[in-house]
Amino acid sequence: MRRFAIGGRMFPVAFLAVYLALDWATFIHQAPAINITPWNPPAGLYMALLLLRPRGALAPILTFVALMAGDVVVRGMPAPLPVLVVANVLVLGAYAVGSLVLVRRFAVSPALDRLSDMVWLVVVVPVAAVAASAGFTIPYAVAGFLEWSAFPSVAVQYWVGDVIAILTVTPFLLLHRRGMPHDGPRRGRLEALAQAAAVVAALALTFNPLVPDPSKILYVLFPPIIWVAMRRGVAAATVAVLVTQVGVVLGLLAVSGHWRDLTYYQAVMVALAATGLLVGAVVSERWRLEARLSERQAELARVARLSLIGEMASSLAHELNQPLFTTIGYTRSSLQLLLRGGERDAVVDLMERAAREAERAAQVLSRIRGFLRQDGMPAAVNLAGAVADMLALARPDANRHGIAVVADLPQDLPRVWMDRVQLDQVLLNLLRNSVDALAARPGNGGAGGEIRLSARPVDGKVEVSVADNGPGVPEDKVGPLFDLFFTTKPSGMGLGLPICRSIVEAHGGRLWLAANTSGGACFSFTVPAVENV
Ligand code: ADP
């Protein structure tokens, strides 16, 4: 099959076959004499090809060959060959320039994966179609195959036939080239069925014998398309638009008497297609931005955790020093004892002590390693364990400032449903903020400072609080406290609280400033208790 795909050796043959089949199936011969069909899907096919720009001059050559073959095979040579050649060269020129302008000037990607791609397509195609329409009809008129008096209406018919075909077919082909793209939240099958039913119902409502003039109620075709576009984005919108367009053509064929107004119907369809495509593109763009934003947020959270670790490392160096020096002391003593031929039991005792101290150092290190691990999934977590670990991380720094850190957890606290690493991050952040607030007190600094970490079960959740007896948050700083990059510290990043809040909220909890006076601040957060998950 790859030989027939774009870029494959058999692609030109496949393209021409599909082109002629499509031209044949959709060619509805209309007066006046020259062969202009009121809906020209093949134009959508070659516009997609011109935008995809396969190697070299393949796209324009294939397009020209297809246009000529269509005229000769499907449309029965409406004019002598030279007229056809001139007309088709002009049509090709108009769309080749149009597609070049789209790609080169407006940087439109054939993947149509930005809102601007769709906007430029909807703007440039109608302009290029004016040139194509003039390019096609003028040679016929000059050669006498078209009355000049009929020229305006024929030119308009050509224009609208091409614009609607390109707007319905080209985005559909480009977006579904590699199967149905999934760019947004998944929607249920039932909803898809309801949407399909709505499109069909709108068409049935418009084109049925009870409606004397379908053109008066064409607006009923809009809501289903907007529904699809808003819920499923641009790729699905192209499907809805295409189905509606086919439905309108079939409806007009079925309900006799309105065929002569086709240009009017097509003009409404141009508006409908443009609306559906643009709404879909806006919705898809929003999904893309949301996805990018959450990627950035995850990245920020990682950076914040790393910077926190960097700061912690210096205090931890302190904590590591002690067991390491003690280990060295014990091993030196046992060495001397051995050299002096000392007692075996005494050596063993010294070596055991050395091993215990080394293990203590290893534990400190493994806590940092656990904290650096960044992937994770919520699980049932024992809060007391996490609190003990984080207190151990925060304590050296607190001690240095003369701050006491107390944990007050009830024995029978249920476990919480949270990602362990992220729980650590929230706890450590709140502890760090309290240490910072206490240490920055003018005068006595941290001396006499106390941080109290408590927890209690409330309504199927566990509420954790970190309270300090620092200066509290000034009244005018309470408002922006949780804003990204809000900080009052000279080297602060202002990421801690917003990231903690988003972590807690992602677990179904809440984080807030629970108490705030000049005698201290208390931050609380809730997380689901395991019994209630
Ligand atoms: P950062 O710690 O980088 O400044 P945060 O988002 O963690 O970022 O904190 C934002 C601001 O909130 C801090 O700069 C500080 O002014 C204030 N704040 C946070 N916790 C406390 C607290 N316990 N006491 C007083 N102010 C606090």
Side-chain angles (χ1 to χ4, degrees), residues 318-345:
H318 229 64
E319 214 190 344
L320 277 177
N321 251 347
Q322 199 207 343
L324 283 179
F325 273 117
T326 325
T327 312
I328 294 170
Y330 284 140
T331 34
R332 284 252 156 82
S333 314
S334 51
L335 194 63
Q336 276 170 6
L337 212 63
L338 274 175
L339 289 176
R340 278 196 268 113
E343 253 183 60
R344 182 178 171 276
D345 282 357

PDB file of all heavy atoms in Angstrom, residues 318-345:
ATOM      1  N   HIS A 318      25.890  19.246  56.704  1.00  0.00           N
ATOM      2  CA  HIS A 318      26.059  19.381  58.135  1.00  0.00           C
ATOM      3  C   HIS A 318      25.714  18.066  58.853  1.00  0.00           C
ATOM      4  O   HIS A 318      26.458  17.564  59.664  1.00  0.00           O
ATOM      5  CB  HIS A 318      25.053  20.431  58.606  1.00  0.00           C
ATOM      6  CG  HIS A 318      25.654  21.474  59.461  1.00  0.00           C
ATOM      7  ND1 HIS A 318      26.607  22.342  59.000  1.00  0.00           N
ATOM      8  CD2 HIS A 318      25.418  21.802  60.752  1.00  0.00           C
ATOM      9  CE1 HIS A 318      26.934  23.152  59.972  1.00  0.00           C
ATOM     10  NE2 HIS A 318      26.232  22.848  61.041  1.00  0.00           N
ATOM     11  N   GLU A 319      24.514  17.580  58.491  1.00  0.00           N
ATOM     12  CA  GLU A 319      24.001  16.393  59.166  1.00  0.00           C
ATOM     13  C   GLU A 319      24.845  15.154  58.835  1.00  0.00           C
ATOM     14  O   GLU A 319      24.959  14.251  59.646  1.00  0.00           O
ATOM     15  CB  GLU A 319      22.551  16.149  58.754  1.00  0.00           C
ATOM     16  CG  GLU A 319      21.739  15.558  59.875  1.00  0.00           C
ATOM     17  CD  GLU A 319      20.380  15.096  59.409  1.00  0.00           C
ATOM     18  OE1 GLU A 319      19.951  15.501  58.314  1.00  0.00           O
ATOM     19  OE2 GLU A 319      19.761  14.312  60.122  1.00  0.00           O
ATOM     20  N   LEU A 320      25.394  15.162  57.624  1.00  0.00           N
ATOM     21  CA  LEU A 320      26.204  14.013  57.206  1.00  0.00           C
ATOM     22  C   LEU A 320      27.568  14.014  57.882  1.00  0.00           C
ATOM     23  O   LEU A 320      28.122  12.960  58.163  1.00  0.00           O
ATOM     24  CB  LEU A 320      26.416  14.060  55.685  1.00  0.00           C
ATOM     25  CG  LEU A 320      25.306  13.494  54.826  1.00  0.00           C
ATOM     26  CD1 LEU A 320      25.652  13.692  53.351  1.00  0.00           C
ATOM     27  CD2 LEU A 320      25.175  12.001  55.107  1.00  0.00           C
ATOM     28  N   ASN A 321      28.070  15.237  58.113  1.00  0.00           N
ATOM     29  CA  ASN A 321      29.394  15.361  58.692  1.00  0.00           C
ATOM     30  C   ASN A 321      29.549  14.547  59.964  1.00  0.00           C
ATOM     31  O   ASN A 321      30.519  13.835  60.150  1.00  0.00           O
ATOM     32  CB  ASN A 321      29.632  16.828  59.053  1.00  0.00           C
ATOM     33  CG  ASN A 321      30.647  17.417  58.096  1.00  0.00           C
ATOM     34  OD1 ASN A 321      31.305  16.664  57.379  1.00  0.00           O
ATOM     35  ND2 ASN A 321      30.772  18.715  58.086  1.00  0.00           N
ATOM     36  N   GLN A 322      28.524  14.668  60.797  1.00  0.00           N
ATOM     37  CA  GLN A 322      28.636  14.060  62.122  1.00  0.00           C
ATOM     38  C   GLN A 322      28.813  12.542  62.060  1.00  0.00           C
ATOM     39  O   GLN A 322      29.819  12.024  62.541  1.00  0.00           O
ATOM     40  CB  GLN A 322      27.425  14.448  62.941  1.00  0.00           C
ATOM     41  CG  GLN A 322      27.663  14.252  64.411  1.00  0.00           C
ATOM     42  CD  GLN A 322      26.350  13.999  65.118  1.00  0.00           C
ATOM     43  OE1 GLN A 322      25.287  14.277  64.561  1.00  0.00           O
ATOM     44  NE2 GLN A 322      26.417  13.479  66.320  1.00  0.00           N
ATOM     45  N   PRO A 323      27.891  11.799  61.402  1.00  0.00           N
ATOM     46  CA  PRO A 323      28.113  10.349  61.362  1.00  0.00           C
ATOM     47  C   PRO A 323      29.389   9.977  60.643  1.00  0.00           C
ATOM     48  O   PRO A 323      30.052   9.001  61.013  1.00  0.00           O
ATOM     49  CB  PRO A 323      26.882   9.813  60.609  1.00  0.00           C
ATOM     50  CG  PRO A 323      26.227  10.969  59.999  1.00  0.00           C
ATOM     51  CD  PRO A 323      26.622  12.175  60.785  1.00  0.00           C
ATOM     52  N   LEU A 324      29.765  10.767  59.640  1.00  0.00           N
ATOM     53  CA  LEU A 324      30.989  10.420  58.920  1.00  0.00           C
ATOM     54  C   LEU A 324      32.213  10.572  59.824  1.00  0.00           C
ATOM     55  O   LEU A 324      33.073   9.684  59.861  1.00  0.00           O
ATOM     56  CB  LEU A 324      31.135  11.305  57.674  1.00  0.00           C
ATOM     57  CG  LEU A 324      30.240  10.908  56.498  1.00  0.00           C
ATOM     58  CD1 LEU A 324      30.435  11.857  55.325  1.00  0.00           C
ATOM     59  CD2 LEU A 324      30.552   9.474  56.058  1.00  0.00           C
ATOM     60  N   PHE A 325      32.270  11.678  60.560  1.00  0.00           N
ATOM     61  CA  PHE A 325      33.417  11.870  61.456  1.00  0.00           C
ATOM     62  C   PHE A 325      33.448  10.802  62.548  1.00  0.00           C
ATOM     63  O   PHE A 325      34.504  10.273  62.890  1.00  0.00           O
ATOM     64  CB  PHE A 325      33.399  13.277  62.074  1.00  0.00           C
ATOM     65  CG  PHE A 325      34.090  14.264  61.171  1.00  0.00           C
ATOM     66  CD1 PHE A 325      33.410  15.325  60.605  1.00  0.00           C
ATOM     67  CD2 PHE A 325      35.456  14.106  60.883  1.00  0.00           C
ATOM     68  CE1 PHE A 325      34.049  16.214  59.765  1.00  0.00           C
ATOM     69  CE2 PHE A 325      36.096  15.011  60.039  1.00  0.00           C
ATOM     70  CZ  PHE A 325      35.386  16.059  59.469  1.00  0.00           C
ATOM     71  N   THR A 326      32.248  10.494  63.053  1.00  0.00           N
ATOM     72  CA  THR A 326      32.207   9.474  64.099  1.00  0.00           C
ATOM     73  C   THR A 326      32.684   8.140  63.528  1.00  0.00           C
ATOM     74  O   THR A 326      33.446   7.401  64.181  1.00  0.00           O
ATOM     75  CB  THR A 326      30.776   9.318  64.643  1.00  0.00           C
ATOM     76  OG1 THR A 326      30.154  10.589  64.628  1.00  0.00           O
ATOM     77  CG2 THR A 326      30.752   8.763  66.047  1.00  0.00           C
ATOM     78  N   THR A 327      32.245   7.807  62.317  1.00  0.00           N
ATOM     79  CA  THR A 327      32.692   6.555  61.688  1.00  0.00           C
ATOM     80  C   THR A 327      34.213   6.530  61.586  1.00  0.00           C
ATOM     81  O   THR A 327      34.858   5.528  61.928  1.00  0.00           O
ATOM     82  CB  THR A 327      32.089   6.421  60.263  1.00  0.00           C
ATOM     83  OG1 THR A 327      30.710   6.700  60.339  1.00  0.00           O
ATOM     84  CG2 THR A 327      32.305   5.040  59.690  1.00  0.00           C
ATOM     85  N   ILE A 328      34.740   7.657  61.091  1.00  0.00           N
ATOM     86  CA  ILE A 328      36.206   7.719  60.955  1.00  0.00           C
ATOM     87  C   ILE A 328      36.869   7.498  62.327  1.00  0.00           C
ATOM     88  O   ILE A 328      37.826   6.723  62.466  1.00  0.00           O
ATOM     89  CB  ILE A 328      36.633   9.083  60.365  1.00  0.00           C
ATOM     90  CG1 ILE A 328      36.106   9.209  58.924  1.00  0.00           C
ATOM     91  CG2 ILE A 328      38.158   9.229  60.379  1.00  0.00           C
ATOM     92  CD1 ILE A 328      36.249  10.589  58.339  1.00  0.00           C
ATOM     93  N   GLY A 329      36.318   8.163  63.346  1.00  0.00           N
ATOM     94  CA  GLY A 329      36.874   8.030  64.698  1.00  0.00           C
ATOM     95  C   GLY A 329      36.878   6.584  65.149  1.00  0.00           C
ATOM     96  O   GLY A 329      37.920   6.048  65.596  1.00  0.00           O
ATOM     97  N   TYR A 330      35.727   5.911  64.999  1.00  0.00           N
ATOM     98  CA  TYR A 330      35.614   4.515  65.444  1.00  0.00           C
ATOM     99  C   TYR A 330      36.574   3.617  64.679  1.00  0.00           C
ATOM    100  O   TYR A 330      37.213   2.738  65.250  1.00  0.00           O
ATOM    101  CB  TYR A 330      34.177   4.006  65.257  1.00  0.00           C
ATOM    102  CG  TYR A 330      33.200   4.525  66.288  1.00  0.00           C
ATOM    103  CD1 TYR A 330      31.908   4.894  65.935  1.00  0.00           C
ATOM    104  CD2 TYR A 330      33.557   4.612  67.642  1.00  0.00           C
ATOM    105  CE1 TYR A 330      31.003   5.358  66.863  1.00  0.00           C
ATOM    106  CE2 TYR A 330      32.662   5.081  68.581  1.00  0.00           C
ATOM    107  CZ  TYR A 330      31.383   5.453  68.193  1.00  0.00           C
ATOM    108  OH  TYR A 330      30.500   5.911  69.107  1.00  0.00           O
ATOM    109  N   THR A 331      36.661   3.801  63.373  1.00  0.00           N
ATOM    110  CA  THR A 331      37.536   2.894  62.600  1.00  0.00           C
ATOM    111  C   THR A 331      39.001   3.132  62.971  1.00  0.00           C
ATOM    112  O   THR A 331      39.780   2.190  63.092  1.00  0.00           O
ATOM    113  CB  THR A 331      37.363   3.079  61.074  1.00  0.00           C
ATOM    114  OG1 THR A 331      37.086   4.443  60.824  1.00  0.00           O
ATOM    115  CG2 THR A 331      36.256   2.240  60.509  1.00  0.00           C
ATOM    116  N   ARG A 332      39.369   4.418  63.139  1.00  0.00           N
ATOM    117  CA  ARG A 332      40.772   4.701  63.548  1.00  0.00           C
ATOM    118  C   ARG A 332      41.080   4.006  64.877  1.00  0.00           C
ATOM    119  O   ARG A 332      42.113   3.349  65.016  1.00  0.00           O
ATOM    120  CB  ARG A 332      40.961   6.206  63.740  1.00  0.00           C
ATOM    121  CG  ARG A 332      41.054   6.958  62.443  1.00  0.00           C
ATOM    122  CD  ARG A 332      42.512   7.428  62.218  1.00  0.00           C
ATOM    123  NE  ARG A 332      42.750   7.634  60.807  1.00  0.00           N
ATOM    124  CZ  ARG A 332      42.410   8.750  60.154  1.00  0.00           C
ATOM    125  NH1 ARG A 332      41.849   9.741  60.821  1.00  0.00           N
ATOM    126  NH2 ARG A 332      42.657   8.859  58.874  1.00  0.00           N
ATOM    127  N   SER A 333      40.135   4.164  65.849  1.00  0.00           N
ATOM    128  CA  SER A 333      40.381   3.583  67.176  1.00  0.00           C
ATOM    129  C   SER A 333      40.527   2.076  67.054  1.00  0.00           C
ATOM    130  O   SER A 333      41.423   1.475  67.660  1.00  0.00           O
ATOM    131  CB  SER A 333      39.232   3.876  68.142  1.00  0.00           C
ATOM    132  OG  SER A 333      38.878   5.210  68.065  1.00  0.00           O
ATOM    133  N   SER A 334      39.634   1.445  66.243  1.00  0.00           N
ATOM    134  CA  SER A 334      39.712  -0.016  66.168  1.00  0.00           C
ATOM    135  C   SER A 334      41.015  -0.429  65.488  1.00  0.00           C
ATOM    136  O   SER A 334      41.614  -1.439  65.855  1.00  0.00           O
ATOM    137  CB  SER A 334      38.494  -0.602  65.446  1.00  0.00           C
ATOM    138  OG  SER A 334      38.307   0.037  64.242  1.00  0.00           O
ATOM    139  N   LEU A 335      41.465   0.368  64.524  1.00  0.00           N
ATOM    140  CA  LEU A 335      42.731   0.071  63.856  1.00  0.00           C
ATOM    141  C   LEU A 335      43.880   0.089  64.870  1.00  0.00           C
ATOM    142  O   LEU A 335      44.710  -0.823  64.918  1.00  0.00           O
ATOM    143  CB  LEU A 335      42.965   1.116  62.767  1.00  0.00           C
ATOM    144  CG  LEU A 335      44.047   0.798  61.734  1.00  0.00           C
ATOM    145  CD1 LEU A 335      43.644  -0.448  60.957  1.00  0.00           C
ATOM    146  CD2 LEU A 335      44.222   1.973  60.790  1.00  0.00           C
ATOM    147  N   GLN A 336      43.883   1.171  65.674  1.00  0.00           N
ATOM    148  CA  GLN A 336      44.959   1.274  66.674  1.00  0.00           C
ATOM    149  C   GLN A 336      44.905   0.112  67.643  1.00  0.00           C
ATOM    150  O   GLN A 336      45.931  -0.496  67.996  1.00  0.00           O
ATOM    151  CB  GLN A 336      44.840   2.592  67.428  1.00  0.00           C
ATOM    152  CG  GLN A 336      45.498   3.724  66.651  1.00  0.00           C
ATOM    153  CD  GLN A 336      45.185   5.061  67.240  1.00  0.00           C
ATOM    154  OE1 GLN A 336      44.573   5.165  68.300  1.00  0.00           O
ATOM    155  NE2 GLN A 336      45.617   6.102  66.535  1.00  0.00           N
ATOM    156  N   LEU A 337      43.664  -0.234  68.048  1.00  0.00           N
ATOM    157  CA  LEU A 337      43.487  -1.334  68.985  1.00  0.00           C
ATOM    158  C   LEU A 337      44.041  -2.619  68.394  1.00  0.00           C
ATOM    159  O   LEU A 337      44.734  -3.398  69.066  1.00  0.00           O
ATOM    160  CB  LEU A 337      41.993  -1.476  69.284  1.00  0.00           C
ATOM    161  CG  LEU A 337      41.632  -1.968  70.677  1.00  0.00           C
ATOM    162  CD1 LEU A 337      42.103  -0.975  71.733  1.00  0.00           C
ATOM    163  CD2 LEU A 337      40.108  -2.094  70.787  1.00  0.00           C
ATOM    164  N   LEU A 338      43.721  -2.838  67.092  1.00  0.00           N
ATOM    165  CA  LEU A 338      44.204  -4.045  66.409  1.00  0.00           C
ATOM    166  C   LEU A 338      45.723  -4.068  66.368  1.00  0.00           C
ATOM    167  O   LEU A 338      46.361  -5.094  66.628  1.00  0.00           O
ATOM    168  CB  LEU A 338      43.660  -4.083  64.978  1.00  0.00           C
ATOM    169  CG  LEU A 338      42.285  -4.706  64.775  1.00  0.00           C
ATOM    170  CD1 LEU A 338      41.853  -4.546  63.322  1.00  0.00           C
ATOM    171  CD2 LEU A 338      42.326  -6.181  65.141  1.00  0.00           C
ATOM    172  N   LEU A 339      46.330  -2.900  66.014  1.00  0.00           N
ATOM    173  CA  LEU A 339      47.782  -2.834  65.903  1.00  0.00           C
ATOM    174  C   LEU A 339      48.451  -3.111  67.244  1.00  0.00           C
ATOM    175  O   LEU A 339      49.527  -3.700  67.315  1.00  0.00           O
ATOM    176  CB  LEU A 339      48.208  -1.461  65.379  1.00  0.00           C
ATOM    177  CG  LEU A 339      47.864  -1.202  63.899  1.00  0.00           C
ATOM    178  CD1 LEU A 339      48.219   0.213  63.491  1.00  0.00           C
ATOM    179  CD2 LEU A 339      48.589  -2.211  63.001  1.00  0.00           C
ATOM    180  N   ARG A 340      47.738  -2.617  68.296  1.00  0.00           N
ATOM    181  CA  ARG A 340      48.328  -2.828  69.628  1.00  0.00           C
ATOM    182  C   ARG A 340      48.003  -4.230  70.160  1.00  0.00           C
ATOM    183  O   ARG A 340      48.317  -4.536  71.297  1.00  0.00           O
ATOM    184  CB  ARG A 340      47.803  -1.775  70.608  1.00  0.00           C
ATOM    185  CG  ARG A 340      48.579  -0.453  70.468  1.00  0.00           C
ATOM    186  CD  ARG A 340      48.373   0.446  71.644  1.00  0.00           C
ATOM    187  NE  ARG A 340      47.256   1.357  71.424  1.00  0.00           N
ATOM    188  CZ  ARG A 340      46.119   1.335  72.082  1.00  0.00           C
ATOM    189  NH1 ARG A 340      45.916   0.460  73.023  1.00  0.00           N
ATOM    190  NH2 ARG A 340      45.166   2.198  71.804  1.00  0.00           N
ATOM    191  N   GLY A 341      47.314  -5.024  69.354  1.00  0.00           N
ATOM    192  CA  GLY A 341      46.946  -6.378  69.768  1.00  0.00           C
ATOM    193  C   GLY A 341      45.887  -6.378  70.847  1.00  0.00           C
ATOM    194  O   GLY A 341      45.902  -7.219  71.751  1.00  0.00           O
ATOM    195  N   GLY A 342      44.948  -5.434  70.757  1.00  0.00           N
ATOM    196  CA  GLY A 342      43.895  -5.291  71.764  1.00  0.00           C
ATOM    197  C   GLY A 342      42.894  -6.430  71.728  1.00  0.00           C
ATOM    198  O   GLY A 342      42.973  -7.340  70.889  1.00  0.00           O
ATOM    199  N   GLU A 343      41.909  -6.302  72.600  1.00  0.00           N
ATOM    200  CA  GLU A 343      40.927  -7.380  72.733  1.00  0.00           C
ATOM    201  C   GLU A 343      39.999  -7.455  71.522  1.00  0.00           C
ATOM    202  O   GLU A 343      39.592  -6.418  70.993  1.00  0.00           O
ATOM    203  CB  GLU A 343      40.067  -7.117  73.964  1.00  0.00           C
ATOM    204  CG  GLU A 343      40.383  -8.033  75.109  1.00  0.00           C
ATOM    205  CD  GLU A 343      39.450  -7.742  76.234  1.00  0.00           C
ATOM    206  OE1 GLU A 343      38.224  -7.876  76.011  1.00  0.00           O
ATOM    207  OE2 GLU A 343      39.914  -7.330  77.311  1.00  0.00           O
ATOM    208  N   ARG A 344      39.636  -8.645  71.155  1.00  0.00           N
ATOM    209  CA  ARG A 344      38.781  -8.832  69.972  1.00  0.00           C
ATOM    210  C   ARG A 344      37.398  -8.200  70.176  1.00  0.00           C
ATOM    211  O   ARG A 344      36.873  -7.503  69.298  1.00  0.00           O
ATOM    212  CB  ARG A 344      38.641 -10.332  69.697  1.00  0.00           C
ATOM    213  CG  ARG A 344      37.827 -10.660  68.477  1.00  0.00           C
ATOM    214  CD  ARG A 344      37.771 -12.144  68.231  1.00  0.00           C
ATOM    215  NE  ARG A 344      36.805 -12.442  67.191  1.00  0.00           N
ATOM    216  CZ  ARG A 344      35.498 -12.580  67.380  1.00  0.00           C
ATOM    217  NH1 ARG A 344      35.022 -12.432  68.601  1.00  0.00           N
ATOM    218  NH2 ARG A 344      34.694 -12.857  66.386  1.00  0.00           N
ATOM    219  N   ASP A 345      36.816  -8.422  71.369  1.00  0.00           N
ATOM    220  CA  ASP A 345      35.466  -7.910  71.634  1.00  0.00           C
ATOM    221  C   ASP A 345      35.396  -6.394  71.525  1.00  0.00           C
ATOM    222  O   ASP A 345      34.445  -5.820  71.010  1.00  0.00           O
ATOM    223  CB  ASP A 345      35.004  -8.326  73.033  1.00  0.00           C
ATOM    224  CG  ASP A 345      34.551  -9.772  73.015  1.00  0.00           C
ATOM    225  OD1 ASP A 345      34.566 -10.349  71.897  1.00  0.00           O
ATOM    226  OD2 ASP A 345      34.190 -10.303  74.078  1.00  0.00           O
TER     227      ASP A 345
END
